[in-house]
Structures are given as structure tokens and as C-alpha cells.
């Protein structure tokens, strides 16, 4: 193995004269076009690339290094950003196509260059596994993977060179690449304002996709240009005179549309070629390098419209309101001699550079390049802002306006087969599973991301490769509701829970009716509701459902009905008494305890209070009271998912409540603990809980599946502070990924 330092220095490598010449040209171009150049960096990048690709050939048979060299040259001349990008262009295929690792690049060239290469490699992979049916998605994927915009910039240069050298590939491959270029890269180049690159990509694609029409357009354009040039000459004459008088330095020339935009016009307007060139287009670029560029544009506009009559409806001011990609220019159409319409664009040289080379041109106009790194950071942030906040565009004649939500809002993940799915930010494997198919969601038991097991609450990232593990025995867990973010997953899980509860309620009702018949009890709907309330269920359905699932013994209800004539109200009992009485359904985490509540500022012990099982409030929680049909008060947490409905729709039944200070009252609360399944996890968990703040565990149940540990712990806490401290401690256990308070105990079954 050759040493890295030798490779970097190019020691022992023989560089062919033709290649050496290209390298020399590249270095010269760097000095011409870049604000400052670390020549050594570029040379070292070349040496590494030259060595890594030493055995590779292009389809044309040439040495492979020709390609990265050409990409770097295109980059310098057409994008001209910085020397790190040039080095990245030289190295862009190294990790993907050769034995050289990303670590090598990182060690040799540092973090930021390695990140660019990593982005380029990932994007390369994304392309090989997709067809471009989802062009817009793939485009977004590219952007989201490119945490550094230089990745995209290098990719443009790479694609342009590939398009320029497509001829040696088989026809089928040419068509695929050309289509992809037209659908994906050209609009994306437009988005960044790389108009020159966009036009070249489009024309090269058209040449492949419709060679005959392309040829017709190109030769037609040549004829048209000759005719136009003589007309434009006369048109310019008086303008030139006036501009010279006023001391302007300027360039003025006839503008040619590119072959592809003419092609599109022919298709869209269904017109033959010669009818497309109805309007002459010219451009005036002001060379004066002073601050008054914008004013100058207006002065020139005024001179031109003195000489020729303008058509006001064709006027556009992109100088005061630049387009989202930074484009600035004044557009006007005037009537020339013989009544011909002439489209005029007026702009400064700086505006022109930006129009041709997009955002990268801004870099050229940065004055202070002493602190390159922080300047670059500022610039990259600026690019992102620019792309994130598109200003409304008035021009409608542009190809396409992709509204890209860069870096936020959406992520893109792959299946192991390479299919692409888009999900909202913070989406989890469960969301993904439901997106793939409802059945996959229902039976989802675990997930692998990039080959490793992750918790089902794992937040997916762009570029993740995800695989869902299913089991026929698995069914949706109500807890999933808490971390899923997609509407589809949420509604399917809710539906499942509802269905399940409906079935168990039906079963519970059957059980009850048999027992009631035997005991000779007949209850009205209203009476049943009252007993449900006494037994602390939100409604009859829930009570029956608990009987159906076996969480409530039917004898409890029977006992309550029989005892109701004598004992009245069970809820002023001491906590211990309560515990005994309701032991059988404490597992469902209903709160227990005396009503330790201040209602409208007064302490009440005589009102029947219930702690809403949808959110299990404990002292310290922000709460409110809701007067239910039976006249009791149900306490909800303000953060309860039912709170908005209750507070807004039934505000007349809401009362203000507060916790009063009561000692030695314990409330039941539930925690869901997730983590890695490892030896000793359960004992450590129980030790941490019981040793801290003398917490008693009511019940604990553990599920492990594919290395994932999910524990459900029901415990007695005195208040929120107590619970929070406990959560803090549990989080510190090695291998624990998350501790969540669970709020919807009635969904447990
Ligand atoms: Mn390449």
C-alpha cells in the first residue's frame, strides 16, 4: 500500500503531457476566476484523483481523469465559486467509483471537502436506483442531502460534461440521461439562476431526444440571426449616439433564444418555426462600475423610450423587485422602424453576471475576501434564505417555478429496494409503515434504519434507508399516537383502537347482561351511566369495554349496583381503601387519591371528582374541571388532547380548579420506557424507580422484540415534581432511548 502522503504529492505518478496541459489550464483558470486560490489544494486533489482513477477509462476509451479535470474546468469557468469546490470537482467520482474511502478524503482534505464528496456520492446513489418519474421529489432529495450547496454546484458541472460527451454511450442510456437532464437538472439550474448552464443542458438534451427538430431549429436560428443583425444595427444607431453623449460604457447586442425554448414555443403554440421569431430581442449591459447601477438602468430606459415608443403592458421591473433566484433586469418592448417590435433588456454587468451564473456570481462581488471561511458561511446561509423564501414572481414566461422547501418540512427515505418516499419532518418508522400500506402499519413490530434496529419513535432523516419488520401477531399500539406525525397513521391507529374497543364493549355488555339477568337486575341507560361514573369510567362504553378485556371484573359493577342503595359515594374513601376497592383496574392507570382540589378557589371535599383517564392528571399539572352530566367534576390536564374541544365548545361547563396541598396522597401515573434490550435492563429500571423518592411500582410489564425493549410502568407518585425527577433518573439509565408519560390509559387493553 502506498502511503497517503506520497499519493497527495503525486510521487511516482506519471502524468501524460496532454493531461498535464489540462491541469495547467485549470490552475490558470482558477487564478483568473476565483477570489483566492490555494493552488496546492487543487494540485493535491488532482494527484489523489489521478492515482485513484489510474486504472479507469471512460466509455470513449480515454483515461478517466479527463472527466474530473473537465468537470473542474467547467466549474471554474461557469460557476467559479471557490477552490474547495474545484478540489471537490476533481475528486467527485473517487469515493463512488474507486477503492479510495471517504475517510481518506477527510484525513487528507478536511471536513468540509469530505462532506461535499459524501453528498455527491449519496446523490449519485440516489440516481442509480430511481427512475425519474418522481422528478420533483428526486430534485428535493438532492437539495435536502446537500447540506452544502456546493454539492449541487459540482453536480451541475458533472452533468454538463456528461451531456457534452454522451455520444459514446448506447442509445438507450443516452435517452435516459437526456430525459433526466431535461426533467431534473435544467429546472434545478434555473432555480439557482444558472441560466447559461440551464440553456446548454436543455439544448444538449433536445439534440439527443429530437435530433431532427433540433437541427431544423439550429439552422433556422442561423438564418434568422443574419436577418436580425442588420435590422438591429439600424435600431442601435441612435441609442448608441445618446449613450455615448451621456458617458455610458456599455455593450449592446442581439439576443438569441436557445433551441430548446424555441422548441417549447413551437410545441406550446403549435406554430411552425418561422412564426416563432416574430420579436427581435436585444440587450444592453452597462459597464460602469459604480454605485449608481440601478439609476443608470432607469436613465437608459428613459433614453430608449425617448427614441422609440414603448408598449407599457410589456414593461417589467426586476431591478427593484429581483426574482427569487436573484435575477435583475429592466424589460421593455418598444416599436422600432417598420413597426417591428423589439424586446429590450437593460442591466448592469453585475446583474448580467448574476443572470448568467446565478447565485455563484454574487461571490465575485464580495469585497472583503480576507476571512474566507466565515464569508463563505454567510454566503451559503444567504443562498439558503434565498431559496427558502421565494419572492413572488411576476414573469410567467419561465420554464417552471419549482417551489422548493429546502432543508425543512420534508424528508426523503428509501426502501431497501431503492423506492423513494417523502414524509414530513419528524416522521417515524410507524408513519413510514402506514404510508407504504395500512397492513404494514398494523403489523409493524420494529424497524431497521441504515441496517440498525431503531425504536419505533425514531425520527427519520433524509437519505435514511428504512426497512419495516412485521409480525402477524402485532397490532397497533395506542402509544404510537403520541409520536406519529402523519394524518394517515394517526387516523388508522385511532380507527383500530375504536374498533377494538367497540368489540370488547360488545363482549363486556354481553357478560354484564347475563350476570344482571341472573341477579334479576334491570338498569336503564341513565342508571348504567351513573354506575360507570361511580366506577370512574368516562362512559358506559368504556366500562363495558373494560369488562370485555377483563380489566374490570363484572362483579365490581354488580357490587356497585347492589351497594349503591346503602353506601352512596365511594370516592371520599382514603387512598388505601380506594386502592383495595379498585385494585383490579389500577393497571389501567386511573388516578387514585382523595379529591385534593380547589374549585374556584375553595377547597371542596364533597363534590364527586374524577381524574380524566384521557390524560391522568397529577398534582402540579395544569388542570381544569369539567362538569359532567351526572353533576360530578372531571379533572383534565390543560394539555389533554380533549381540552380544546371542552374549553371551546363547552366552556359553560368548565370550572377553574387548583391543586390543594395534601400530604401522603399518591396518584397513579404511567410511564412508557423504551430502549435497547440488554441483560439487566429490567432490574436496573426497577431499582432506579424504587430507590428514588421511595416510589412504589404498581405494575410493570416488559415487551422485547428484535432487540428493542419497551416497558410499561404504572407507579404511585405524589405530584408532577416527583414524576419529573423520576423520569430524569430513568433517562440516565444506559441504553434508554425515551421515557414518556402515557396519557391515554383507556386505550390500553
Ligand atoms: Mn462524474
Amino acid at each position: 500500500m502506498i502511503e497517503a502522503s506520497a499519493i497527495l504529492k503525486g510521487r511516482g505518478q506519471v502524468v501524460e503531457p496532454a493531461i498535464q496541459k489540462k491541469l495547467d489550464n485549470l490552475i490558470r483558470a482558477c487564478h483568473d476566476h476565483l477570489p483566492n486560490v490555494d493552488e496546492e489544494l487543487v494540485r493535491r486533489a488532482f494527484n489523489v484523483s489521478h492515482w485513484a482513477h489510474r486504472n479507469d477509462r471512460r466509455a470513449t476509451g480515454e483515461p478517466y481523469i479527463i472527466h474530473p479535470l473537465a468537470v473542474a474546468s467547467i466549474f471554474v469557468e461557469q460557476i467559479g465559486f471557490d477552490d474547495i469546490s474545484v478540489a471537490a470537482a476533481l475528486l467527485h467520482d473517487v469515493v463512488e467509483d474507486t477503492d479510495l474511502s471517504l475517510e481518506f478524503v477527510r484525513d487528507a482534505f478536511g471536513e468540509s471537502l469530505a462532506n461535499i464528496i459524501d453528498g455527491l456520492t449519496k446523490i449519485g446513489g440516489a440516481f442509480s436506483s430511481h427512475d425519474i418519474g418522481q422528478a420533483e421529489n428526486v430534485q428535493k432529495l438532492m437539495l435536502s442531502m446537500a447540506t452544502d450547496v456546493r454539492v449541487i454546484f459540482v453536480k451541475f458541472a458533472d452533468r454538463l460534461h456528461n451531456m457534452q460527451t454522451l455520444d459514446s454511450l448506447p442509445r438507450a442510456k443516452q435517452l435516459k440521461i437526456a430525459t433526466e437532464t431535461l426533467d431534473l437538472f435544467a429546472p434545478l439550474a434555473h432555480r439557482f439562476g444558472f441560466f447559461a448552464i440551464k440553456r446548454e443542458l436543455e439544448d444538449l438534451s433536445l439534440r439527443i431526444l429530437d435530433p431532427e427538430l433540433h437541427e431544423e431549429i439550429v439552422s433556422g436560428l442561423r438564418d434568422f440571426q443574419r436577418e436580425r443583425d442588420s435590422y438591429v444595427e439600424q435600431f442601435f444607431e441612435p441609442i448608441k449616439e445618446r449613450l455615448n453623449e451621456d458617458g455610458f460604457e456599455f455593450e449592446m447586442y442581439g439576443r438569441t433564444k436557445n433551441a430548446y425554448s424555441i422548441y417549447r414555443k413551437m410545441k406550446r403554440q403549435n406554430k411552425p418555426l418561422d412564426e416563432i421569431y416574430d420579436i427581435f430581442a436585444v440587450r444592453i449591459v452597462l459597464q460602469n462600475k459604480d454605485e449608481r447601477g440601478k439609476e443608470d438602468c432607469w436613465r437608459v430606459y428613459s433614453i430608449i423610450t425617448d427614441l422609440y415608443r414603448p408598449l407599457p403592458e410589456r414593461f417589467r421591473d426586476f431591478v427593484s423587485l429581483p426574482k427569487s433566484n436573484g435575477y435583475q433586469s429592466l424589460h421593455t418592448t418598444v416599436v422600432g422602424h417598420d413597426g417591428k417590435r423589439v424586446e429590450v433588456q437593460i442591466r448592469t454587468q453585475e446583474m448580467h453576471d448574476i443572470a448568467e451564473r446565478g447565485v455563484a456570481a454574487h461571490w465575485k462581488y464580495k469585497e472583503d475576501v480576507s476571512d474566507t471561511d466565515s464569508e463563505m458561511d454567510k454566503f451559503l446561509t444567504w443562498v439558503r434564505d434565498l431559496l427558502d423564501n421565494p419572492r413572488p414572481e411576476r414573469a410567467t414566461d419561465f420554464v417552471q417555478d419549482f417551489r422548493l422547501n429546502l432543508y425543512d418540512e420534508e424528508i426523503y427515505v428509501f426502501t431497501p429496494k431503492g423506492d423513494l418516499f417523502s414524509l414530513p419532518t419528524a416522521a417515524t418508522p410507524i408513519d413510514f409503515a402506514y404510508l407504504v400500506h395500512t397492513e404494514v402499519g398494523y403489523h409493524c413490530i420494529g424497524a431497521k434504519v441504515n441496517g440498525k434496529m431503531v425504536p419505533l419513535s425514531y425520527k427519520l432523516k433524509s437519505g435514511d434507508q428504512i426497512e419495516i419488520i412485521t409480525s402477524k401477531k402485532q397490532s397497533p399500539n395506542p402509544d404510537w399516537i403520541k409520536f406519529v406525525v402523519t394524518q394517515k397513521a394517526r387516523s388508522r391507529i385511532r380507527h383500530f383502537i375504536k374498533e377494538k374497543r367497540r368489540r370488547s364493549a360488545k363482549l363486556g355488555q354481553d357478560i354484564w347482561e347475563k350476570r344482571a339477568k341472573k341477579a334479576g337486575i334491570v338498569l336503564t341507560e341513565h342508571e348504567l351511566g351513573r354506575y360507570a361514573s361511580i366506577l370512574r369510567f368516562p362512559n358506559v362504553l368504556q366500562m363495558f369495554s373494560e369488562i370485555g378485556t377483563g380489566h374490570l371484573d363484572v362483579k365490581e359493577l354488580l357490587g356497585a349496583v347492589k351497594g349503591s342503595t346503602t353506601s352512596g359515594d365511594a370516592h371520599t374513601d382514603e387512598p388505601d381503601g380506594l386502592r383495595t376497592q379498585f385494585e383490579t383496574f389500577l393497571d389501567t392507570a386511573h388516578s387514585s387519591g382523595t379529591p385534593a382540589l380547589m374549585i374556584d378557589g375553595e377547597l371542596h371535599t364533597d363534590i364527586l371528582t374524577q381524574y380524566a383517564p384521557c390524560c391522568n392528571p397529577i398534582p402540579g399539572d395544569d388542570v381544569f374541571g369539567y362538569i359532567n352530566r351526572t353533576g360530578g367534576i372531571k379533572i383534565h390536564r390543560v394539555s389533554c388532547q380533549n381540552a380544546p374541544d371542552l374549553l371551546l365548545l363547552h366552556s359553560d361547563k368548565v370550572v377553574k380548579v387548583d391543586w390543594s396541598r395534601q400530604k401522603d396522597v399518591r396518584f397513579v401515573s404511567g410511564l412508557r420506557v423504551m430502549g435497547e434490550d440488554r441483560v439487566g435492563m429490567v432490574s436496573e429500571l426497577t431499582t432506579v424507580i424504587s430507590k428514588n423518592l421511595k416510589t412504589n411500582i404498581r405494575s410493570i410489564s416488559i415487551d422485547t422484540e428484535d432487540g428493542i425493549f419497551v416497558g410499561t410502568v404504572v407507579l404511585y407518585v405524589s405530584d408532577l415534581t416527583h414524576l419529573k425527577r423520576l423520569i430524569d433518573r430513568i433517562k440516565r439509565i444506559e441504553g434508554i432511548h425515551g421515557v414518556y408519560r402515557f396519557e391515554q390509559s383507556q386505550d390500553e387493553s
Side-chain angles (χ1 to χ4, degrees), residues 174-344:
Q174 289 182 1
L175 291 175
K176 180 185 180 284
I177 295 175
T179 312
E180 189 179 80
T181 301
L182 205 52
D183 282 3
L184 209 60
F185 285 92
L188 195 57
H190 172 77
R191 193 70 182 79
F192 277 92
F194 296 127
F195 291 108
I197 290 178
K198 180 200 92 167
R199 287 195 296 264
E200 193 177 347
L201 287 175
E202 284 176 346
D203 288 356
L204 288 166
S205 302
L206 182 62
R207 196 176 70 88
I208 299 290
L209 297 172
D210 197 338
E212 272 171 40
L213 194 50
H214 177 261
E215 184 46 41
E216 192 192 327
I217 292 170
V218 168
S219 67
L221 268 175
R222 267 195 297 267
D223 297 345
F224 169 74
Q225 245 160 285
R226 269 193 295 275
E227 185 198 331
R228 181 200 60 188
D229 286 349
S230 65
Y231 180 90
V232 164
E233 195 96 348
Q234 286 187 53
F235 178 83
F236 281 159
E237 210 48 53
I239 302 175
K240 263 187 197 161
E241 220 167 278
R242 286 283 303 275
L243 293 185
N244 282 328
E245 273 170 32
D246 284 22
F248 282 105
E249 286 171 51
F250 59 92
E251 267 177 34
M252 196 154 45
Y253 47 85
R255 222 156 39 83
T256 316
K257 277 192 152 53
N258 67 325
Y260 181 72
S261 65
I262 289 167
Y263 167 85
R264 281 191 78 241
K265 252 192 171 162
M266 286 170 75
K267 293 279 163 188
R268 199 173 44 201
Q269 302 175 359
N270 204 15
K271 281 182 182 169
L273 185 56
D274 43 346
E275 278 177 45
I276 301 292
Y277 313 116
D278 52 348
I279 296 176
F280 289 130
V282 301
R283 178 176 296 147
I284 299 169
V285 181
L286 302 173
Q287 308 290 317
N288 305 48
K289 285 188 182 113
D290 56 35
E291 302 284 284
R292 303 199 320 269
K294 187 177 158 184
E295 272 171 56
D296 285 349
C297 290
W298 287 104
R299 280 170 61 209
V300 171
Y301 171 79
S302 145
I303 288 169
I304 290 170
T305 51
D306 276 353
L307 295 164
Y308 298 104
R309 187 170 61 84
L311 301 169
E313 74 276 8
R314 307 271 301 179
F315 175 73
R316 298 281 183 274
D317 172 13
F318 296 117
V319 168
S320 314
L321 288 169
K323 291 192 188 192
S324 60
N325 52 27
Y327 178 90
Q328 281 187 297
S329 219
L330 285 183
H331 292 189
T332 182
T333 299
V334 298
V335 183
H337 49 279
D338 303 335
K340 271 198 194 307
R341 295 202 285 171
V342 182
E343 224 176 68
V344 188

Side-chain angles (χ1 to χ4, degrees), residues 541-553:
L541 186 76
Q542 183 64 35
M543 179 174 69
F544 281 151
S545 164
E546 298 282 312
I547 294 173
T549 56
H551 283 106
L552 174 65
D553 193 325

Side-chain angles (χ1 to χ4, degrees), residues 64 67 92-93 158:
Y64 195 87
H67 169 62
H92 79 272
D93 279 331
D158 181 31

